[in-house]
Amino acid sequence: MFKVLFLMLILLAGLVAGPYLSGKQGYVLISTTNWDIEMTIPTLVVFFVLSLAIVYLVQALISRFCRLSNSTYGWFSRRKRRKAEKQTLAGLIKMDEGDYAKAEKLIGKNAKHATEPVLNFIKAAEAAQQKGDEFSANKYLIEATKLAGNDNLVVELARTRILLQQGKTSAARSAIDSLLLLAPYNPEVLRLAVDIYLQSNAYASLDELFGRVENKLNYSREKLLQLRHQIEDGLQDEKLNEDGVDGLLAWWEEQSRKRRNDIYAKTGMLKRLIAANDHESAYEIALETVKKAENKTDRLALLQQLPHLQLESDSKLIKTLEKQLASTQDPELQVAYNRALGYLNVRLNEFNSAKTYLCNVLSQPQWTKAEDYTMTAYTYEQLGDSINAQKVREQGLQFVMKNRQNTPEQTEIAVLNR
């Protein structure tokens, strides 16, 4: 630009200087309808240079004004952005403090000027929901959706989470199903899906999802085990309630080998079959499970169900339990084995054997239950020993009264711990 201007000036200087050097300035006539303008060539050149200078001056002024306008606009924009950032930070602090009304006002007021306006609208929606304003929460979510465009996973996650908080479980269930199709391995989607499926009792869907949850979420081993147990209980209760005992047994036969070999699942089946009065099927599962239960937790859970089992004759189950009791050194397990054997022998009218096992249970009061005293007293009565029967009843009454006296203290301790 400057080079062209410099060449033009040299050219003009030559045009001016040439006629002077030759003694001839030349003549120019500009004629219009009403005007005749006469001038020499040097005058025309000077006029042209002045006109060009005026044009450049006007251009420079306009450019300077535009730069000033842009600078002013940028200053206001930066000011709004800084203000939005300060309000966002203050709003997040208010959310942590539980002042959701103030948090919504601070975060949502200048959300459009924030660094990440979509996140501001989402946080404002969450704050509005926390204070019970569903209308404002939905309004903020609509604004977030407009800004997010096609990349709206974070908005849909927030929407689903808010639907769950609003108690609209069915709508949240539909939303999370769509999100699982959109992002099947997203950790936050999976985490939210677990919460929604548990609240909606969708245990079949949760069972299908468990493999991804196990691989993608950093749940502890204990939490995964708890979730697995919730799924097993939910599926079995669902089948029993909908299809009865026959439906539950048919479903069990169709399950994978892994589930059929799971001790917790088999113990759950045993518990539900006993409750449904199908003791024959329960006995088959009990006999199979008692041989495979190895760790203490599984054994205690299984032995807890066996006292409720009805037997018609001596069985392999009792012999297996006696064999395991003989090799058990753990005092708590010994009590559980003795209790199961005592109750089972009572149902078989083997009162002498039952007395031995039940007395072993009563000798360990830290693991004794109130019903153990009742069953022991009944056993003594059947053996014609009314004196010991009365003695055991008195011990049982003392045991119950002692537990009732301890209950208020335990309740108070539990409240204080909270």
Side-chain angles (χ1 to χ4, degrees), residues 332-369:
E332 187 177 4
L333 277 175
Q334 287 177 346
V335 171
Y337 274 110
N338 277 293
R339 179 183 292 112
L341 286 166
Y343 281 58
L344 291 174
N345 275 284
V346 167
R347 291 192 172 87
L348 293 173
N349 296 322
E350 298 290 340
F351 296 107
N352 283 313
S353 298
K355 181 186 72 172
T356 303
Y357 292 122
L358 291 172
C359 287
N360 290 338
V361 174
L362 298 185
S363 67
Q364 300 288 339
Q366 66 270 37
W367 291 300
T368 302
K369 301 178 181 179

Side-chain angles (χ1 to χ4, degrees), residues 240-387:
L240 182 61
N241 294 334
E242 291 181 357
D243 304 324
V245 174
D246 292 336
L248 176 62
L249 290 171
W251 170 83
W252 180 252
E253 292 297 326
E254 295 171 355
Q255 297 309 296
S256 64
R257 180 178 298 180
K258 181 179 179 180
R259 171 166 283 154
R260 287 170 55 83
N261 288 333
D262 183 70
I263 301 300
Y264 183 88
K266 296 171 80 170
T267 303
M269 286 291 295
L270 173 62
K271 175 182 176 181
R272 288 162 180 81
L273 289 172
I274 291 175
N277 206 31
D278 187 357
H279 292 277
E280 184 178 352
S281 300
Y283 169 77
E284 294 177 1
I285 292 179
L287 182 60
E288 180 184 350
T289 307
V290 77
K291 296 177 180 178
K292 295 182 179 180
E294 296 180 354
N295 64 64
K296 180 179 177 179
T297 302
D298 290 340
R299 286 192 180 188
L300 286 174
L302 174 62
L303 292 170
Q304 185 179 359
Q305 302 303 320
L306 294 182
H308 306 290
L309 185 62
Q310 300 284 351
L311 297 180
E312 296 180 357
S313 60
D314 192 10
S315 64
K316 296 179 181 179
L317 179 60
I318 289 182
K319 294 179 181 178
T320 303
L321 291 174
E322 290 174 341
K323 185 178 179 180
Q324 291 182 353
L325 173 60
S327 61
T328 300
Q329 302 299 322
D330 187 285
E332 187 177 4
L333 277 175
Q334 287 177 346
V335 171
Y337 274 110
N338 277 293
R339 179 183 292 112
L341 286 166
Y343 281 58
L344 291 174
N345 275 284
V346 167
R347 291 192 172 87
L348 293 173
N349 296 322
E350 298 290 340
F351 296 107
N352 283 313
S353 298
K355 181 186 72 172
T356 303
Y357 292 122
L358 291 172
C359 287
N360 290 338
V361 174
L362 298 185
S363 67
Q364 300 288 339
Q366 66 270 37
W367 291 300
T368 302
K369 301 178 181 179
E371 55 265 29
D372 296 334
Y373 289 97
T374 303
M375 186 63 77
T376 306
Y378 172 78
T379 302
Y380 275 118
E381 287 181 345
Q382 296 302 311
L383 292 172
D385 190 348
S386 58
I387 296 176

